Amino acid sequence: MNGSARHIRPWALGLLLGALPLGAQSLHWANGDSLPGAPVELKDGALTWKCPLFSENLVIDSRALSRIQFGKPPPPPKADGTLLLVETRHGDLLHGTLTAMDPETLTLASPRFGTLQLQRSELLSLQPLASSRSYTLRGTRGWTTLNKQTKTHRWRPTARLGLATHMENSHLFHTLQGIGPKLYEITLSWKHAPGFVFGVQAREGAAFCFKLETWDGTLVLLNGKQFKPVLELNKDPAQLALRIFHKPGDGQVAVCDSKGKLLAQLRSPEPHPAKDIGLYIKNKGQHLALESLHDLKWSGSRPDPIASADKTRILLRDGTARQGKATTYDPEAKALLLDGTDPEGAQPMIRLADLARIQFDTTPATRPAVTGRLAYADGMFLCGQLLAIRNNQLTLRIQAASQPFEIALTGCTNLHFPTPPTDKPKAGRRLVWDKGHSHGTL
């Protein structure tokens, strides 16, 4: 434990441990130590921590810390139909109602954070929060394994709420809702040589709809008994973004790059399995990360490749797609206005009620140095420069906003300090208490 020395009152230790409330907050060090209590203040990299086991507050260098785990919050309220999910290029996930937009900024009214003005150049995507027609990867939530020998804990959430593992032959499975035509947008990364399987298959047995699998550095598409090379994978850059169009009714699969360029397609004469199917991913190498995944309804007609980087790709609820440059927002019509004119000479628009997803950019940006990652029970996620904690409020600066956020910790599940471990366990004494322990000298 790295902090100012404080005395534990021995006569009170058992009483205080028994009195700690279920789901109480806890502080975790990078070396595995932990301590119950609550944050008082964070200033200039030093965290003041109040613990019932100590007669005085602890002052701790935050560089030695791993995370603050907050008590189990109450269930979040049901998502309002007007709320949108905005994903930034640096991994933030924000909920709010769209109130204004211009070529430079997008403004949200957030039920948690108030008015947020975000730089459009830093945004990755926007979609309705309460959409039953799509799935967006949010860490390990909803994923399981296909056998008892493989455990889900072999995979961990990434900083951007993706999935990652370093254990060879580890796999995960996520049940799909509905089996109509689908568009899967995925981003994968690896270390050293690429090795993975990604596809859609049945939970029971070996039947699959399609697979993308690496064969000695070549990515291959498998559909029924057919296979076709997609592209050669290099060690550098060790990242791949794909769009996969799947029409199970007639066995069609098409694989495109992130811009929509066709890489490979196959049509199987055999029907695809239609019951109890899901997404499947397996690591065949040393390290694999599924950085992002979006499962969207598709009309069955593959859109043209994106012609220009300034064109926004817009996916609608009916599964169709179009391209355009969103310029402004009309709050009365609740619609996004696009650049240009339609055949009747009017400015084209997209109603938010018809929207499935807007892709402002195709790939995440390189994440800047982060000193705090904040996760909430309702799915909101922020990462940036952690500036201060005081009076149950946290101050955080994110890349997409010009001003720091003043954020209430109510509803927060954990606060991570993603800094390199500096506090190693010392050989010698270890004090253990209920749901916690610490290294030190008696």
Side-chain angles (χ1 to χ4, degrees):
M1 183 181 292
N2 185 357
S4 301
R6 296 290 183 265
H7 295 292
I8 302 177
R9 299 174 180 176
W11 59 268
L13 180 59
L15 178 63
L16 288 170
L17 289 173
L20 289 174
L22 184 63
Q25 301 174 30
S26 58
L27 180 65
H28 297 257
W29 274 255
N31 69 0
D33 288 351
S34 60
L35 193 67
V40 176
E41 182 182 43
L42 176 71
K43 185 178 180 181
D44 298 329
L47 175 69
T48 302
W49 184 260
K50 182 178 181 179
C51 176
L53 306 177
F54 290 80
S55 57
E56 300 178 30
N57 292 339
L58 290 162
V59 180
I60 306 158
D61 186 346
S62 64
R63 293 175 298 177
L65 299 177
S66 168
R67 71 187 186 277
I68 298 174
Q69 194 75 36
F70 295 90
K72 185 177 181 181
K78 187 176 181 180
D80 188 326
T82 65
L83 290 180
L84 302 175
L85 168 63
V86 177
E87 181 181 7
T88 74
R89 299 177 68 237
H90 303 278
D92 309 290
L93 301 173
L94 298 163
H95 305 168
T97 301
L98 183 61
T99 59
M101 187 175 72
D102 59 40
E104 304 297 327
T105 63
L106 181 146
T107 305
L108 292 176
S110 169
R112 186 179 297 282
F113 305 136
T115 300
L116 303 176
Q117 188 174 76
L118 306 173
Q119 303 298 316
R120 282 188 56 178
S121 61
E122 300 295 333
L123 301 185
L124 185 67
S125 67
L126 177 151
Q127 66 188 59
L129 180 61
S131 173
S132 61
R133 297 174 181 264
S134 64
Y135 165 74
T136 297
L137 180 64
R138 293 289 175 265
T140 55
R141 182 188 305 174
W143 291 79
T144 184
T145 61
L146 298 178
N147 56 57
K148 295 181 179 180
Q149 287 74 32
T150 307
K151 305 297 183 182
T152 56
H153 70 252
R154 294 185 174 185
W155 295 75
R156 56 178 175 77
T158 67
R160 301 176 61 90
L161 294 186
L163 296 168
T165 184
H166 65 278
M167 302 192 72
E168 190 174 358
N169 294 322
S170 295
H171 76 272
L172 285 177
F173 180 86
H174 187 283
T175 302
L176 287 172
Q177 302 299 323
I179 189 54
K182 295 271 192 173
L183 165 59
Y184 303 103
E185 298 181 334
I186 65 170
T187 303
L188 294 156
S189 67
W190 54 87
K191 293 181 180 178
H192 311 295
F196 59 86
V197 180
F198 176 86
V200 173
Q201 70 169 59
R203 177 184 289 274
E204 302 291 340
F208 66 91
C209 297
F210 72 86
K211 288 182 182 179
L212 286 167
E213 185 171 1
T214 53
W215 292 1
D216 295 328
T218 300
L219 183 64
V220 179
L221 171 64
L222 295 92
N223 186 1
K225 297 180 180 180
Q226 305 177 73
F227 65 91
K228 179 179 285 188
V230 178
L231 76 166
E232 296 294 324
L233 297 177
N234 300 317
K235 294 182 179 181
D236 186 25
Q239 189 174 71
L240 178 67
L242 296 173
R243 297 165 64 194
I244 306 163
F245 297 87
H246 178 213
K247 191 185 292 185
D250 58 7
Q252 286 192 37
V253 181
V255 181
C256 301
D257 65 12
S258 60
K259 298 289 187 181
K261 179 183 177 182
L262 180 64
L263 301 176
Q265 62 180 346
L266 285 174
R267 181 172 181 173
S268 172
E270 302 173 1
H272 285 176
K275 291 184 178 180
D276 201 16
I277 66 167
L279 298 165
Y280 175 85
I281 185 168
K282 179 180 178 179
N283 179 33
K284 296 170 53 179
Q286 297 184 38
H287 180 275
L288 177 69
L290 180 59
E291 302 286 358
S292 66
L293 183 152
H294 302 286
D295 160 19
L296 298 155
K297 181 182 177 182
W298 172 44
S299 66
S301 176
R302 187 166 55 85
D304 295 330
I306 298 174
S308 174
D310 65 353
K311 293 289 187 181
T312 297
R313 187 157 55 86
I314 304 168
L315 303 176
L316 303 179
R317 283 180 178 268
D318 63 4
T320 59
R322 61 184 298 180
Q323 296 177 28
K325 186 176 182 180
T327 55
T328 57
Y329 174 65
D330 185 340
E332 292 186 2
K334 297 188 182 306
L336 297 171
L337 303 181
L338 307 182
D339 198 10
T341 57
D342 60 21
E344 298 178 356
Q347 188 173 12
M349 65 171 59
I350 300 291
R351 295 172 58 245
L352 291 184
D354 299 328
L355 181 67
R357 178 176 168 84
I358 292 180
Q359 188 80 27
F360 292 109
D361 204 338
T362 56
T363 55
T366 302
R367 193 163 48 89
V370 170
T371 58
R373 296 201 301 260
L374 196 63
Y376 283 87
D378 58 8
M380 279 200 255
F381 181 82
L382 296 170
C383 55
Q385 298 295 317
L386 181 58
L387 303 178
I389 298 176
R390 189 172 181 82
N391 298 327
N392 205 37
Q393 294 277 333
L394 180 144
T395 305
L396 185 76
R397 183 189 298 276
I398 69 170
Q399 191 77 10
S402 57
Q403 298 295 325
F405 289 173
E406 296 288 340
I407 308 168
L409 291 174
T410 305
C412 181
T413 56
N414 56 70
L415 168 62
H416 279 262
F417 301 90
T419 52
T422 59
D423 190 13
K424 302 295 183 182
K426 305 293 192 300
R429 306 289 184 176
R430 180 168 134 168
L431 181 64
V432 180
W433 47 75
D434 186 26
K435 299 180 180 180
H437 60 79
S438 174
H439 294 84
T441 301
L442 183 62

